[in-house]
Structure formats: C-alpha cells, structure tokens
C-alpha cells in the first residue's frame, strides 16, 4: 500500500494534439505551449496549497486509464480531452464511474466553432465546463478543482 502525504494532487489531463500547442492553429489556440500552461497551473495550485499532476496523451485509452487512476490518487481532475470531447463514450463512462469532480476544460469555445464541436459526450457527467479563455481556462479550472476539493458536494 502506498502512503499518501498531504492533499491529493489535481490531475490535469490533456488529450490529442495538445502537445502541439504553440504551433497548432495559433489564431485559435494562441502561442503558448503546453509546458507554459503546465507552469502556470503548477504556480496557481501552489498558491492554493495544492499540487498538480499534469499529463498529455494522444491516446483515448490512456485518458481512460488515467481517469481510473484518478479515483484513488487525485482530489479532482481538470480534463481537456481535445477532439475526444466530441466523440468518446468511453470517456463519458470513465468520468461517470468517478466520485471526484471532473472539470471539462477548453482553450477555445467549442460552442462558437464548427457544429461538430457543439456536441460534448462528457459535459453531462462533468462537474462543470470552462472554455474560451485560452490558458486562463486552465487556471480557472484549477481554482474550481481546488474549490470542489475543499468544499465537497452536498
Ligand atoms: C479543444 C477544443 C476541441 O474542439 C479541439 O478538438 C481541441 C482543443 C480546446 O481546448 O479548445 O483539440 O479541446
């Protein structure tokens, strides 16, 4: 059995193509890299007395595995599932199986973009959704996660 010291981290999980931030469609996603965003999340979490475990994968199954891992290891999850947001029943089911809050997060505002981005398979099982604020979406999501962890749902 692993021993846990201090509060559990907030898992910040990133899906496909987010490793290309900085060079990928900068007019939509900006010029910040994912490493820049990670540094800002780490800093904000630290100010809130929390830690983050920040990860990226292009694989849907890996995201499912990390959500399962979060059950026992994280206090909350900030999830930018990228395009899997719009297609993945597996992510929906994995989130539904958790009893910790999952905050769906996007840099852009999918509702203002192509119609295929207007559907989210995960919004209905997420605690809430933050989108449209670029890297600040992640900071707001870390704050929401810390709040949820401190104030359990009624
Ligand atoms: C995104 C929005 C998705 O529609 C898109 O597929 C992404 C990024 C965002 O952060 O704005 O990969 O999740």
């Amino acid at each position: 059995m692993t021993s846990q010291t201090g509060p559990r981290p907030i898992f910040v999980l990133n899906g496909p193509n987010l490793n290309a931030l900085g060079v990928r469609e900068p007019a939509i996603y900006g010029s910040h890299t994912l490493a820049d965003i990670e540094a800002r999340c780490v800093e904000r979490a630290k100010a809130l007395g929390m830690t983050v475990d920040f990860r990226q994968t292009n694989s849907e199954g890996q995201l499912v595995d990390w959500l399962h891992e979060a059950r026992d290891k994280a206090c909350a999850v900030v999830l930018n599932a990228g395009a899997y947001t719009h297609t993945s029943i597996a992510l929906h089911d994995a989130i539904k199986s958790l009893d910790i809050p999952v905050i769906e997060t996007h840099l852009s505002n999918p509702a203002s973009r192509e119609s295929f981005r207007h559907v989210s398979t995960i919004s209905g099982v997420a605690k809430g959704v933050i989108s449209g604020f670029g890297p600040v979406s992640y900071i707001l999501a870390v704050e929401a996660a810390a709040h949820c962890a401190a104030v359990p749902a009624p």
Side-chain angles (χ1 to χ4, degrees):
M1 183 200 254
T2 48
S3 63
Q4 180 99 30
T5 55
R8 291 178 177 193
I10 300 164
F11 277 16
V12 183
L13 305 181
N14 294 279
N17 301 307
L18 292 165
N19 53 313
L21 285 183
V23 292
R24 174 193 180 200
E25 299 183 89
I28 295 172
Y29 297 115
S31 55
H32 306 273
T33 65
L34 198 60
D36 296 334
I37 292 172
E38 177 176 8
R40 291 175 70 170
C41 288
V42 167
E43 182 185 32
R44 188 69 195 118
K46 190 174 177 193
L48 294 165
M50 310 286 292
T51 58
V52 297
D53 187 333
F54 195 100
R55 307 178 188 184
Q56 189 275 332
T57 179
N58 292 322
S59 157
E60 182 180 9
Q62 181 67 80
L63 285 174
V64 170
D65 287 342
W66 285 343
L67 285 165
H68 292 174
E69 184 184 341
R71 180 196 317 283
D72 296 324
K73 292 194 183 161
C75 65
V77 178
V78 170
L79 174 63
N80 185 350
Y84 295 139
T85 303
H86 315 299
T87 61
S88 179
I89 308 296
L91 287 179
H92 171 105
D93 288 348
I95 294 167
K96 201 171 183 184
S97 77
L98 298 181
D99 56 9
I100 57 172
V102 176
I103 295 135
E104 179 185 341
T105 304
H106 302 284
L107 294 151
S108 67
N109 177 2
S112 71
R113 300 178 61 193
E114 305 96 321
S115 58
F116 62 82
R117 296 184 204 277
H118 298 177
V119 173
S120 169
T121 61
I122 64 178
S123 294
V125 286
K127 177 75 177 169
V129 183
I130 298 173
S131 63
F133 301 101
V136 175
S137 291
Y138 281 76
I139 302 305
L140 296 171
V142 165
E143 290 180 3
H147 172 79
C148 291
V151 183

